[in-house]
Amino acid sequence: MGIKLVPYKVSVKKQDPLFDAKRRKLLSLAAIGSGAAVLGGLSWLYQKNNQHNRGTLIGNSVGFNKQFHSVVADWQGHPLFRIPLPERAHGVAISQLSRMGFSDAVAFARRPGSYFQVFDYKTGDIKQLIQAEPNRHFYGHGVFSLDGRYLLATQGVKETSQGLIGVYDVSDNYKKIDEWHGIGIGPHEIIRLNNGSYAVGVGGVHTNGREPLNLDTMRPSLTRLDISGNITSQVGLEDKRLSIRHLGYDQHDLILCGQQYRGEPDDYPSLIAMQRGDEELMPLNAEPEEWAMFKHYIASIAVVDDYVLATSPPGNCYGIWSISKNKLLELNPLPDASGVVAHQGHFFVSSGSGEVVNRSPFDAIQRHNSTVRWDNHWNAIPL
């Protein structure tokens, strides 16, 4: 049953207990506790009983005792298949059956990652497990080319974090056949645009494991590539401590990029910027105290018409902006707010507490408990 949202300044306060990190962990454990453990033990039963159902969403999950999965679910977040993973994963690339002729999905290890796992999102069948070369690692994201011939993955050189795009031949069991270089240090998310070209969020951070080493010399950028990997534009933000990481797309030519702020802990700059064509990046507006709620990190971004929804797991919240007005319209609490996708005029938002929110940009909110501890990202399975 839908409920009417109140304006964000009424519904969210700085002292809201949902924004306390310790309480967030307790809420997550209480909300999913025994349910997630039972589900993990009966994953084969879910797969058997739902083998003829059609999944609509894919995301990665974090389980107890370091159990990690990719999960194919329905629109309410109820799992149909659970694919075991060797380590924690981050993003997922999904093929388009109607155009590409196959139904593969690929889960990428969380940076600095050592693998990607291929599986069939229609059947749940596990396919190739591809390991990174000894001197390479994955950055957690990838995408299929428009024709489905290639899988492109963001990667880095271990010693230097110099970024590259690994090119894998789908028809040859995902054998690596090429690398695209020159995009900068620490590329994170890559997306495909409607004309077959690509956009990459380049974080600019050289790391040892996950420890940053070059915060004083970062050079993040939003980089556009043509279908052959040539750089067509590369723009940055005025504040070089804003590491560009996650991307959203309005299916026309507007790209939204979400940042992780690596500067002073008491500074709260805008964490989202937008670019149309080869124009400069324009930050989305909110007050510093509102940006403070996002705890310096944007996880996922989706666009519905004139509206952008962005999540923050450490901030336990999501916000909704009007693009044309460049204005924050709502700021709402959601424990461990994680992935978001857009579908038929609605946002679908996941959380690490298992809660799933289905809502329009204005109202008509529905909430479901999926029993899945969703991680940072969610993807809609294309028709």
Side-chain angles (χ1 to χ4, degrees):
M1 182 173 66
I3 60 174
K4 182 75 173 179
L5 270 185
V6 293
Y8 71 89
K9 289 186 178 179
V10 176
S11 62
V12 177
K13 300 178 181 179
K14 277 194 174 183
Q15 302 303 316
D16 191 320
L18 288 175
F19 287 82
D20 180 82
K22 293 182 179 179
R23 179 166 175 78
R24 171 168 66 96
K25 293 181 180 179
L26 291 174
L27 284 170
S28 297
L29 291 174
I32 62 180
S34 60
V38 170
L39 183 59
L42 297 178
S43 61
W44 64 271
L45 184 60
Y46 251 95
Q47 198 157 313
K48 180 178 179 181
N49 290 343
N50 291 282
Q51 58 185 337
H52 299 297
N53 291 351
R54 180 182 178 273
T56 53
L57 296 166
I58 300 179
N60 299 310
S61 70
V62 178
F64 296 101
N65 300 319
K66 295 185 178 180
Q67 294 180 345
F68 306 108
H69 294 86
S70 282
V71 181
V72 180
D74 63 18
W75 284 119
Q76 296 179 351
H78 300 140
L80 305 178
F81 305 113
R82 293 164 57 89
I83 292 83
L85 302 172
E87 296 175 351
R88 186 176 175 184
H90 192 65
V92 178
I94 307 177
S95 65
Q96 187 169 352
L97 180 59
S98 62
R99 175 188 295 150
M100 303 176 187
F102 60 99
S103 52
D104 284 1
V106 181
F108 294 90
R110 182 176 183 244
R111 71 173 182 92
S114 62
Y115 76 91
F116 65 72
Q117 175 68 65
V118 186
F119 60 93
D120 189 316
Y121 59 75
K122 287 178 65 65
T123 65
D125 291 341
I126 297 172
K127 304 178 76 172
Q128 294 91 344
L129 178 66
I130 304 298
Q131 300 288 342
E133 304 96 313
N135 64 338
R136 299 285 189 267
H137 56 240
F138 294 107
Y139 276 111
H141 288 276
V143 68
F144 284 94
S145 62
L146 186 63
D147 58 10
R149 293 179 60 189
Y150 306 109
L151 176 74
L152 310 179
T154 53
Q155 292 189 266
V157 178
K158 282 187 176 180
E159 296 80 6
T160 63
S161 299
Q162 285 295 329
L164 59 104
I165 304 299
V167 183
Y168 295 80
D169 187 342
V170 173
S171 64
D172 194 9
N173 294 312
Y174 289 87
K175 179 182 177 181
K176 191 173 189 179
I177 59 171
D178 199 4
E179 290 182 342
W180 298 343
H181 290 265
I183 57 177
I185 289 177
H188 193 66
E189 184 166 15
I190 180 171
I191 62 173
R192 188 186 69 245
L193 308 182
N194 281 345
N195 64 359
S197 65
Y198 305 95
V200 186
V202 180
V205 183
H206 173 33
T207 61
N208 178 16
R210 292 181 65 84
E211 178 187 0
L213 302 177
N214 69 329
L215 295 185
D216 292 331
T217 58
M218 291 170 52
R219 293 181 63 85
S221 69
L222 176 61
T223 298
R224 293 190 185 223
L225 308 172
D226 66 18
I227 60 174
S228 300
N230 302 303
I231 295 174
T232 58
S233 71
Q234 199 162 34
V235 297
L237 293 161
E238 183 177 350
D239 188 339
K240 301 305 180 185
R241 294 291 185 93
L242 285 165
S243 178
I244 298 176
R245 299 177 59 76
H246 294 124
L247 305 179
Y249 182 49
D250 74 344
Q251 302 305 315
H252 299 291
D253 197 36
L254 182 71
I255 297 174
L256 285 298
C257 57
Q259 281 65 260
Q260 180 178 21
Y261 184 56
R262 296 288 195 157
E264 296 298 323
D266 293 331
D267 290 343
Y268 300 105
S270 170
L271 296 176
I272 305 174
M274 53 187 175
Q275 183 204 41
R276 194 178 299 277
D278 58 357
E279 298 175 0
E280 295 299 311
L281 287 167
M282 177 182 296
L284 285 185
N285 291 327
E287 296 298 324
E289 59 268 25
E290 293 165 339
W291 283 121
M293 297 295 187
F294 290 84
K295 303 296 184 185
H296 295 151
Y297 183 76
I298 297 296
S300 298
I301 305 173
V303 184
V304 169
D305 299 326
D306 185 49
Y307 304 96
V308 176
L309 190 150
T311 67
S312 173
N316 299 294
C317 68
Y318 67 87
I320 298 178
W321 282 260
S322 164
I323 296 172
S324 60
K325 296 179 180 178
N326 196 348
K327 180 180 180 181
L328 178 65
L329 304 178
E330 293 180 10
L331 180 55
N332 294 299
L334 179 64
D336 205 10
S338 299
V340 59
V341 296
H343 177 70
Q344 294 185 350
H346 281 245
F347 292 114
F348 294 79
V349 191
S350 68
S351 76
S353 68
E355 185 174 356
V356 172
V357 177
N358 170 4
R359 59 162 300 165
S360 73
F362 299 106
D363 49 26
I365 300 179
Q366 294 181 339
R367 301 179 188 274
H368 309 278
N369 185 356
S370 70
T371 73
V372 177
R373 297 178 69 189
W374 297 103
D375 217 336
N376 274 31
H377 299 289
W378 232 2
N379 299 74
I381 295 174
L383 299 175

